[in-house]
Amino acid sequence: MTGWEQLAVLGAGLGAGVLTSTVGVASLLSFPVLLAIGLPPVVANASNTVGLVPGALSGAVGYRQELREHPRTVLVVLAACGVGSVGGAILLLALPPGVFEAVVPWLILLSCLLVGAQPWISRWLRRTRNEPTRLRHDMSPATVVFAVLTGTYGGYFGAGSGVMMAAVLGLGTDFPVRIVNALKTLAVLAANVVATAIFVVVADLDWLAIGLLAAGSVVGGYIGARLGRKMPPVVFRVLVVIAGGGTAVLMLL
């Protein structure tokens, strides 16, 4: 890596850390940079996952106040995404590169639509089911299943996994945006940590790229948490739709 390439990876880590803690599309920024400096796709993917762990960790620390408010949900999110990530990491190492390329952009687009329309969908569901106005602060079995599937995707590739988790939490619970952001960041952390434990043992990694990503993302993750805590719900949904939609379009091109 040249000096300029190292700066590019460091900057990508910083930006990816901010995105992890806000709109959840960190790999949109960091993964293409690793490809651009010449890393093979599988090496870039695994190295990207490992390098962004510090960013998700610092983001979770930044959201520590929000995470303390719902400890049971925190444990469920950690378990669901951690278990799912094991399967995702195994798929990444076992399947040929690009197996899910045709499906992933459409999953991200669907997640964006669900996040954008979440207030209307939630109100419609409550009316059709005659649900009481009591807020849902526990994850239903269906929500847990979708969280596991999101963790599987996070362990496999991860681009847009934060958007997907925001959609799952937005439809499956009634948490405010700051709590959704906190839990989404925690979900990304859980998936990345479990996948990292597997990749360190069996995957081919570029440790220089990992170190640069980690150094940038650990700062960006905390900054992103400060921004995400104050983000109005409408702004959050608009940014998720724009960022996630952009990710999907770029992957389709």
Side-chain angles (χ1 to χ4, degrees):
M1 243 187 277
T2 66
W4 288 111
E5 288 174 339
Q6 292 180 27
L7 285 175
V9 175
L10 182 65
L14 176 64
V18 173
L19 292 174
T20 295
S21 301
T22 51
V23 295
V25 289
S27 293
L28 168 65
L29 178 61
S30 54
F31 181 66
V33 170
L34 296 184
L35 292 178
I37 65 172
L39 295 187
V42 173
V43 175
N45 198 355
S47 299
N48 183 64
T49 296
V50 177
L52 294 184
V53 167
L57 178 60
S58 65
V61 171
Y63 282 122
R64 60 191 179 277
Q65 178 179 337
E66 285 74 13
L67 295 175
R68 288 195 192 106
E69 294 180 28
H70 301 281
R72 181 192 298 180
T73 305
V74 165
L75 293 176
V76 172
V77 168
L78 284 173
C81 292
V83 169
S85 182
V86 173
I90 293 171
L91 288 175
L92 175 65
L93 298 174
L95 295 178
V99 167
F100 292 149
E101 283 181 0
V103 178
V104 166
W106 300 107
L107 289 175
I108 295 174
L109 279 176
L110 176 61
S111 299
C112 290
L113 291 175
L114 291 175
V115 170
Q118 180 265 321
W120 296 277
I121 295 174
S122 295
R123 283 198 292 269
W124 177 77
L125 288 174
R126 280 195 289 269
R127 285 199 304 270
T128 56
R129 296 176 183 175
N130 295 317
E131 291 181 354
T133 57
R134 181 177 60 85
L135 296 179
R136 298 169 298 166
H137 286 169
D138 290 316
M139 294 171 65
S140 68
T143 305
V144 173
V145 169
F146 281 107
V148 171
L149 293 175
T150 303
T152 301
Y153 172 71
Y156 177 81
F157 183 52
S161 63
V163 173
M164 294 180 186
M165 195 63 193
V168 169
L169 292 169
L171 292 175
T173 68
D174 293 314
F175 290 124
V177 164
R178 63 185 181 86
I179 301 294
V180 169
N181 257 334
L183 292 171
K184 166 183 65 63
T185 303
L186 187 71
V188 172
L189 173 62
N192 283 0
V193 165
V194 173
T196 292
I198 296 172
F199 293 157
V200 167
V201 176
V202 299
D204 186 12
L205 300 171
D206 188 305
W207 286 103
L208 177 56
I210 289 170
L212 293 168
L213 283 177
S217 70
V218 73
V219 177
Y222 193 79
I223 293 173
R226 300 296 293 268
L227 296 173
R229 176 180 289 127
K230 300 175 182 178
M231 192 177 294
V234 173
V235 173
F236 169 73
R237 292 190 182 93
V238 169
L239 290 178
V240 165
V241 170
I242 292 173
T247 301
V249 170
L250 287 175
M251 294 177 72
L252 285 169
L253 295 177

